[in-house]
Amino acid sequence: MTTNERTIRKKLGGAGQRVTSQRLLLLKLIQKQQGHLDADDLYRRARDLNPRLSLSTVYRTLRLFKDLGIIEELHFQPEHHHYEQRASREHHHLVCLRCGRIAEFESAHTKGLRQEIARRHGFTVTGSEINFTGYCADCRDKAT
Amino acid sequence: MTTNERTIRKKLGGAGQRVTSQRLLLLKLIQKQQGHLDADDLYRRARDLNPRLSLSTVYRTLRLFKDLGIIEELHFQPEHHHYEQRASREHHHLVCLRCGRIAEFESAHTKGLRQEIARRHGFTVTGSEINFTGYCADCRDKAT
DNA sequence: TTATATGCAAAGACTTTGCCGTTCA
DNA sequence: TGAACGGCAAAGTCTTTGCATATAA
């Protein structure tokens, strides 16, 4: 049993949730990806390993993982969601409008932002999503 | 003809788009709202004034206004979009998880963020969406 | 006049749900 | 064993599209 598997077993068990082969498989794929997946990506990859797995299970599991704080839901595109493993360090995303690549960034500025919000608005921040759209270095040069 | 109407006529005309009563009506409602509307809100309000107006027209018009830069599309909730008139000043949103209210904030920090992104990633930012979720001052006190 | 926009209904994309057999604890 | 889970198909929500009619320019 890997360390990851032990962690997930504890998380699920602690929440009164069962450890099933489907959940372990999906988690493994999410961790392996180390990027951003949507439900359909995950479904297709999971089917390669377990052809009987259903799309509903993917959706149900994503919701569960989200509720347990194992993954985060992202909204780069209006049409559907993306997911990524919850990161230890807060980071946000840069979405290239030309090639579609997603880069991550961390910044000390976001801490200042949160403090400002608390001070000026009396708002207690529990989560944030910061997406910048634009053109990555590669695409900017190519852009006509 | 109001100033707003003159402005929209120019914007539509300049883009080779026609000025229709539906478009004027929808724009007026968006401007009047001064907040955040979703497609269905807008549809219901518009129907009170023009019962024949269709939901497809609402969607088509929102897309048009978005493409023309008249409104901005926001993604507070994963299920559907919200729209607001494009603001003269950059601002972002605080979403209260308890009462659902949306507050706006402006901050000097976001400028620093953009510069940092350009410098460290060579990424040219053309747009941004920053949403913080949490609890507003009212709800924090009430929260159990 | 004529290309564009609208209304209506149908279809589409993504996600959720109900039900029943299966599985984990 | 029994409550929770997964598979399947059906339904739900939000949004887009096709086509005929109406309308702005």
Side-chain angles (χ1 to χ4, degrees):
Chain A
M1 196 186 287
T2 65
T3 307
N4 280 337
E5 189 171 333
R6 199 166 293 128
T7 309
I8 184 72
R9 281 181 181 276
K10 195 152 65 177
K11 279 214 169 144
L12 289 172
Q17 297 288 333
R18 290 184 179 170
V19 178
T20 65
S21 63
Q22 292 90 335
R23 289 174 178 178
L24 289 175
L25 169 59
L26 292 172
L27 186 75
K28 202 169 298 177
L29 290 172
I30 292 167
Q31 291 177 330
K32 182 176 155 202
Q33 170 60 16
Q34 279 305 41
H36 316 96
L37 284 163
D38 60 31
D40 200 59
D41 290 335
L42 191 55
Y43 178 52
R44 282 182 283 106
R45 291 177 200 205
R47 287 202 100 159
D48 291 344
L49 299 164
N50 173 0
R52 306 228 23 223
L53 186 136
S54 77
L55 186 54
S56 351
T57 296
V58 172
Y59 278 110
R60 281 192 275 235
T61 304
L62 285 171
R63 175 135 49 137
L64 176 68
F65 286 175
K66 186 176 103 179
D67 291 345
L68 295 179
I70 296 170
I71 59 173
E72 283 181 287
E73 189 178 80
L74 305 168
H75 308 99
F76 310 134
Q77 299 183 197
E79 305 81 31
H80 63 297
H81 312 156
H82 286 81
Y83 297 88
E84 68 178 11
Q85 187 173 13
R86 183 164 191 162
S88 43
R89 310 186 59 155
E90 178 177 315
H91 69 271
H92 299 286
H93 299 93
L94 308 177
V95 184
C96 181
L97 295 170
R98 191 168 187 272
C99 67
R101 256 183 304 189
I102 312 284
E104 301 187 346
F105 76 92
E106 292 182 32
S107 168
H109 285 285
T110 59
K111 196 175 162 201
L113 254 180
R114 293 170 94 106
Q115 288 169 346
E116 196 180 351
I117 288 164
R119 184 163 31 84
R120 295 223 315 249
H121 296 266
F123 190 98
T124 307
V125 174
T126 60
S128 63
E129 183 168 355
I130 303 183
N131 295 321
F132 284 93
T133 48
Y135 297 94
C136 69
D138 287 356
C139 288
R140 188 179 40 192
D141 300 339
K142 288 185 221 137
T144 45
Chain B
M1 197 186 285
T2 65
T3 307
N4 280 335
E5 190 171 332
R6 199 166 292 127
T7 310
I8 184 70
R9 281 182 182 278
K10 196 151 69 179
K11 279 213 170 146
L12 289 172
Q17 296 289 332
R18 291 186 180 172
V19 178
T20 66
S21 63
Q22 292 91 335
R23 288 172 178 179
L24 290 174
L25 169 60
L26 292 171
L27 185 76
K28 202 168 299 177
L29 290 172
I30 291 166
Q31 290 177 330
K32 183 176 154 203
Q33 170 60 16
Q34 280 305 43
H36 318 94
L37 284 164
D38 59 32
D40 199 59
D41 290 335
L42 190 54
Y43 178 51
R44 282 183 282 106
R45 291 177 200 204
R47 288 201 98 163
D48 290 344
L49 299 165
N50 173 0
R52 305 227 27 220
L53 187 136
S54 79
L55 186 55
S56 349
T57 297
V58 172
Y59 278 109
R60 282 192 275 234
T61 304
L62 285 171
R63 175 134 52 136
L64 176 67
F65 286 175
K66 185 175 102 178
D67 291 346
L68 294 179
I70 296 171
I71 60 174
E72 284 181 287
E73 190 178 80
L74 305 168
H75 309 98
F76 310 134
Q77 298 181 197
E79 306 80 31
H80 64 297
H81 313 154
H82 285 82
Y83 298 88
E84 68 179 9
Q85 187 173 12
R86 184 162 191 167
S88 42
R89 312 185 58 155
E90 177 177 318
H91 68 271
H92 301 287
H93 299 93
L94 309 177
V95 184
C96 180
L97 296 172
R98 189 167 188 273
C99 67
R101 257 183 303 191
I102 314 284
E104 301 186 346
F105 76 93
E106 293 182 33
S107 169
H109 286 286
T110 59
K111 197 174 161 200
L113 255 179
R114 293 170 93 108
Q115 287 169 347
E116 196 179 352
I117 288 164
R119 183 163 31 87
R120 297 223 315 250
H121 296 267
F123 189 97
T124 306
V125 174
T126 60
S128 64
E129 183 169 353
I130 303 183
N131 295 321
F132 284 94
T133 49
Y135 297 95
C136 70
D138 287 355
C139 288
R140 188 181 38 192
D141 301 338
K142 289 186 221 136
T144 45

